[in-house]
Amino acid sequence: MNNTACKLVGCEFPLFAFTHCRDVVVAVSRAGGFGVLGGSSFTPEQLELELRWIDQHIDGRPYGVDILVPEHQALPTGKPLTLDFLAAQVPQKHLAFAVELLRQHDIQVEPADLLPQSLPGMMPEIGEALMDVAFRHPIRLIANALGIAPPSMIERARAHGVPVAALVGAKEHALRQVAAGVDMIVAQGTEAGGHCGEVSTLVLVPEVIEAVEAVRKVPVLAAGGIMNGRQMAGCMAMGAAGAWTGSVWLATTEAETSPAFQEKMLAATSRDTIRSTARTGKPSRQLHSAWHDAWHGSDSPGTLPMPVMSLLASPAFRKIERAAEAGNPKAMELLSYWVGQGVGLVHSITSASEVMRSFKNDFAEALMFLNEQVED
Amino acid sequence: MNNTACKLVGCEFPLFAFTHCRDVVVAVSRAGGFGVLGGSSFTPEQLELELRWIDQHIDGRPYGVDILVPEHQALPTGKPLTLDFLAAQVPQKHLAFAVELLRQHDIQVEPADLLPQSLPGMMPEIGEALMDVAFRHPIRLIANALGIAPPSMIERARAHGVPVAALVGAKEHALRQVAAGVDMIVAQGTEAGGHCGEVSTLVLVPEVIEAVEAVRKVPVLAAGGIMNGRQMAGCMAMGAAGAWTGSVWLATTEAETSPAFQEKMLAATSRDTIRSTARTGKPSRQLHSAWHDAWHGSDSPGTLPMPVMSLLASPAFRKIERAAEAGNPKAMELLSYWVGQGVGLVHSITSASEVMRSFKNDFAEALMFLNEQVED
């Protein structure tokens, strides 16, 4: 294939794989797709190591980086971003609630264990430093995962000849992104893992395409719930230039997801996710667990705004993950991670290159099936 | 086309139109699609008149009837179903809340105005009487809109040689329906108008197809959010045998929807719907209005179970509709009706036959577009 999305980023098959795992980026791009590394979970130093590794293993195939730079943050501005300053943003009541919740699940922690241990990647200052790193590498796409792509991202991308993509969950946001100058829109439905809006992929994709075409024709990728090549073909029949995927790569042998979480993924149905503010402060879809029941329950002090909720949730989930991996069954009840409703379509853990093969086969079969039905 | 869905019901183009309007049924079926009349909003006597009219105008084309027979009801059993008995089911607190809400919106009503005025069609006894009528006509499909198709529906349909369809919002329900003996599954995503689950169409359709194929291969229609032929083609690329639609027919000149509601539909975006219990007692998607804000607000006495909520909401919405039509702007704020997220794709009110033409054109274009992208 050589459609508008393929031409923009130089790939063969317009399947975009968002992942935090460098091995997945490499496997996808080497198989003709387009790997996108989620940069905001790394420090700038870590990101440099990841991208260097990718450059060494990707055989010159194209790849991209995604950075989460939200438009609105709840932190006081103008203060130096130290760990002490961040720790002071987490209210005692919320810290105590998290400590008690973990203890109830047989995870012995002290308040200090749940204080921020690193600067959150989703802060503007960190976003700039991550971009410094990204633009030093031969990336073929930079994506902003939440809100309008900041002017600095667009300016720096232009200067480096790198296209900019942005994720949107509503038509109005797509129009603002196009006006801001982005080169590709990812229309992400409510079924998606991670930050998402309320409109489903099936409605959002044609709605965004229609709105964007009336202004400036840029490729629109479909995202949210896409786990196989049949769904990808379906979205492209609706006019999408390709598919942007995330959850499907969490079920690969290469992924950063723990065996404990993969076990929960295999057991989950499409009804086992929740769109909740209890992890980052903004609504994001995750595997539903006892964590969400507690934070949305009647005893809860309420969830905190972005990025303060993450300051507390990130260290808590590191503890939960470690305890679950160690075989603590109560910790398993709390264990969660970002995943979309497509988790109901996951039945096994395979390699990323096997997922790529399946996508291509299923895509070809879907096209054949559709043509046959019409000719019938 | 002559695929499995077309063969089952004898239509040419597997577009199923659920509607409460006999004109839409006739226009769709005459144009090669398959009209399905929603029977539960009629008394048995009214349904007889509607079906007689359809038989006279449909030129022998196939059509179906949909009847809502829920598995679970909140009424005491064994009592005769009189209007007085039903009126006694509505708590005074809720009645007073509704009266006050309408008055706040310049609609002058007395409590007696909001008491049940007819037996609700969704009660099992009424469902049987509606089936008595339906099976006296040459219907080619009977559908159950909520929960497992009751044994009597399946037995009577078998005796008349009529296939049975059932709507489902989750994979588990699809498996139960197939075990109960239904001949076609309508997998309806959360973006759909009316009663719906939480899983999106894009995820639910492949999930249901996969689950059903492992048991007994019956055609699966996609439903929820489908407003045009591109989306229909997209769903069929995923393996659906056709599309089941509802909201798109509300925006036709023939529809039962009032001009006031059509005006609200044209102004709405895909984010203006709500999945709420405030109309029937079970979660159903509607245009979001001041009605929902009130019933889900802090002063609300809470919503009532099915069918009691309908006993109160139905007369209230008749009053609201009449006031809105008379030009009362506060009544317009309350006005609502069942509609899916696809309302964001409605830009004009046209005839049902024009909608059929567009669907066929868009379907053909989507197929061409998909084939071209691959060949590119």
Side-chain angles (χ1 to χ4, degrees):
Chain A
M1 262 186 263
N2 192 21
N3 74 0
T4 53
C6 293
K7 280 179 189 143
L8 186 69
V9 301
C11 69
E12 292 159 15
F13 185 67
L15 174 59
F16 291 69
F18 171 81
T19 174
H20 294 101
C21 172
R22 62 191 189 181
D23 304 79
V24 173
V25 170
V26 164
V28 168
S29 289
R30 286 176 63 158
F34 191 86
V36 180
L37 188 72
S40 292
S41 57
F42 299 107
T43 64
E45 297 70 29
Q46 287 168 333
L47 184 62
E48 173 61 34
L49 293 177
E50 299 297 304
L51 298 188
R52 203 177 294 167
W53 187 90
I54 288 173
D55 291 339
Q56 285 164 358
H57 292 84
I58 207 163
D59 287 349
R61 296 300 187 105
Y63 73 94
V65 169
D66 178 290
I67 293 176
L68 197 157
V69 190
E71 278 180 274
H72 309 290
Q73 289 275 10
L75 284 190
T77 50
K79 299 274 179 69
L81 277 179
T82 62
L83 285 177
D84 282 349
F85 168 76
L86 292 173
Q89 307 307 313
V90 180
Q92 285 305 314
K93 191 169 55 165
H94 293 75
L95 182 59
F97 183 79
V99 167
E100 180 56 25
L101 179 59
L102 266 61
R103 287 184 184 166
Q104 281 166 3
H105 288 81
D106 300 342
I107 307 171
Q108 299 316 322
V109 286
E110 298 303 321
D113 296 330
L114 302 189
L115 288 175
Q117 270 126 52
S118 62
L119 299 179
M122 64 185 69
M123 314 210 38
E125 296 81 352
I126 309 292
E128 291 296 328
L130 291 171
M131 277 192 265
D132 290 344
V133 174
F135 286 121
R136 282 202 297 268
H137 292 265
I139 58 170
R140 289 293 303 269
L141 184 76
I142 190 148
N144 189 33
L146 191 67
I148 297 298
S152 78
M153 181 183 280
I154 293 178
E155 283 159 25
R156 298 175 71 174
R158 288 278 173 283
H160 286 86
V162 174
V164 180
L167 275 77
V168 304
K171 176 181 78 170
E172 299 75 21
H173 301 168
L175 290 173
R176 287 178 60 208
Q177 297 279 11
V178 171
V182 308
D183 306 291
M184 185 159 68
I185 295 288
V186 183
Q188 177 163 280
T190 187
E191 53 269 70
H195 293 106
C196 60
E198 293 181 89
V199 183
S200 80
T201 303
L202 192 82
V203 171
L204 184 68
V205 168
E207 201 179 12
V208 165
I209 290 173
E210 189 180 80
V212 162
E213 274 185 353
V215 183
R216 178 162 62 87
K217 206 174 158 76
V218 300
V220 174
L221 302 181
I226 305 175
M227 307 294 280
N228 61 50
R230 283 188 167 267
Q231 294 168 299
M232 178 179 173
C235 289
M236 289 179 69
M238 295 197 294
W244 177 279
T245 50
S247 301
V248 69
W249 309 105
L250 300 178
T252 59
T253 45
E254 294 94 336
E256 78 280 14
T257 31
S258 62
F261 183 74
Q262 289 189 333
E263 191 185 320
K264 286 191 89 164
M265 281 185 80
L266 290 173
T269 79
S270 58
R271 296 200 284 172
D272 292 327
T273 71
I274 184 171
R275 183 173 173 267
S276 158
T277 53
R279 184 117 189 201
T280 73
K282 288 191 196 269
S284 71
R285 191 171 296 281
Q286 304 141 59
L287 195 69
H288 189 166
S289 83
W291 174 267
H292 306 99
D293 293 337
W295 282 100
H296 299 296
S298 52
D299 299 338
S300 168
T303 62
L304 296 161
M306 176 176 277
V308 191
M309 192 72 216
S310 290
L311 295 178
L312 179 56
S314 295
F317 273 103
R318 270 194 294 272
K319 292 284 179 192
I320 293 167
E321 186 108 357
R322 209 163 307 155
E325 281 300 307
N328 172 344
K330 297 287 283 176
M332 273 298 267
E333 291 173 16
L334 285 175
L335 187 64
S336 173
Y337 194 62
W338 291 281
V339 74
Q341 290 186 338
V343 70
L345 295 167
V346 172
H347 305 303
S348 62
I349 308 297
T350 53
S351 70
S353 58
E354 181 52 38
V355 174
M356 277 300 294
R357 240 192 315 272
S358 296
F359 255 92
K360 289 182 182 177
N361 286 345
D362 288 352
F363 187 99
E365 270 179 24
L367 185 61
M368 208 162 61
F369 175 79
L370 187 58
N371 281 314
E372 277 170 7
Q373 293 213 69
V374 174
E375 285 154 18
D376 201 0
Chain B
M1 260 186 264
N2 192 22
N3 73 1
T4 52
C6 292
K7 280 179 189 144
L8 186 70
V9 302
C11 69
E12 293 159 15
F13 185 68
L15 175 59
F16 291 70
F18 172 81
T19 173
H20 294 102
C21 172
R22 62 190 189 183
D23 304 80
V24 172
V25 170
V26 164
V28 167
S29 288
R30 286 176 63 157
F34 191 86
V36 181
L37 189 72
S40 291
S41 56
F42 300 108
T43 64
E45 297 71 29
Q46 287 167 333
L47 183 63
E48 174 60 34
L49 293 177
E50 300 297 305
L51 297 187
R52 204 177 294 168
W53 187 91
I54 288 172
D55 291 339
Q56 285 163 358
H57 292 84
I58 205 162
D59 287 349
R61 297 299 187 108
Y63 72 94
V65 169
D66 177 289
I67 292 175
L68 197 157
V69 190
E71 278 181 273
H72 308 289
Q73 290 275 9
L75 285 189
T77 50
K79 299 277 179 67
L81 277 179
T82 62
L83 286 178
D84 283 348
F85 169 76
L86 292 174
Q89 307 308 313
V90 180
Q92 285 304 313
K93 190 169 56 163
H94 293 75
L95 183 59
F97 183 79
V99 166
E100 180 55 25
L101 179 59
L102 266 62
R103 286 182 185 168
Q104 282 166 1
H105 288 82
D106 300 343
I107 306 171
Q108 299 315 325
V109 287
E110 299 302 323
D113 296 330
L114 301 190
L115 288 176
Q117 269 128 52
S118 62
L119 299 180
M122 64 185 69
M123 314 208 38
E125 295 81 352
I126 310 293
E128 290 296 327
L130 292 170
M131 277 193 266
D132 290 344
V133 174
F135 286 120
R136 281 203 297 268
H137 293 264
I139 58 170
R140 289 294 302 269
L141 184 75
I142 189 148
N144 190 32
L146 192 67
I148 296 297
S152 78
M153 181 184 280
I154 292 178
E155 283 160 25
R156 298 175 72 175
R158 287 279 172 283
H160 286 86
V162 173
V164 180
L167 276 77
V168 303
K171 176 183 78 170
E172 297 75 21
H173 302 168
L175 290 173
R176 287 177 59 206
Q177 297 280 9
V178 171
V182 307
D183 306 291
M184 184 160 66
I185 295 288
V186 183
Q188 176 163 281
T190 187
E191 53 267 71
H195 293 107
C196 60
E198 293 181 87
V199 183
S200 81
T201 303
L202 191 82
V203 171
L204 185 69
V205 168
E207 200 180 12
V208 165
I209 290 173
E210 189 181 80
V212 163
E213 274 185 355
V215 183
R216 180 163 60 88
K217 206 174 158 76
V218 300
V220 174
L221 303 181
I226 304 174
M227 306 295 280
N228 61 50
R230 282 187 168 271
Q231 294 168 298
M232 179 179 171
C235 289
M236 289 178 67
M238 294 196 295
W244 176 279
T245 51
S247 301
V248 69
W249 309 104
L250 301 178
T252 59
T253 45
E254 294 94 335
E256 78 280 14
T257 32
S258 62
F261 183 73
Q262 289 190 333
E263 192 185 319
K264 287 191 87 164
M265 281 186 79
L266 290 173
T269 78
S270 57
R271 294 199 285 172
D272 293 328
T273 71
I274 184 171
R275 182 171 173 269
S276 159
T277 52
R279 185 117 187 200
T280 72
K282 288 191 196 271
S284 70
R285 190 172 295 282
Q286 305 142 59
L287 196 68
H288 188 165
S289 84
W291 174 268
H292 306 99
D293 292 336
W295 282 99
H296 297 297
S298 52
D299 299 338
S300 166
T303 62
L304 296 161
M306 176 177 276
V308 190
M309 192 72 216
S310 290
L311 295 177
L312 179 56
S314 295
F317 273 103
R318 272 195 293 273
K319 292 284 178 192
I320 293 166
E321 185 108 356
R322 210 166 303 157
E325 281 300 306
N328 172 344
K330 297 286 285 176
M332 273 297 266
E333 291 172 17
L334 283 176
L335 187 64
S336 173
Y337 195 61
W338 290 279
V339 74
Q341 292 186 337
V343 69
L345 295 167
V346 172
H347 305 304
S348 63
I349 307 296
T350 53
S351 70
S353 58
E354 180 53 36
V355 173
M356 279 298 295
R357 241 193 315 273
S358 296
F359 255 92
K360 288 182 183 178
N361 286 344
D362 288 351
F363 186 98
E365 271 179 24
L367 185 61
M368 207 162 59
F369 174 79
L370 187 58
N371 281 315
E372 277 171 8
Q373 293 213 69
V374 174
E375 286 153 18
D376 199 1

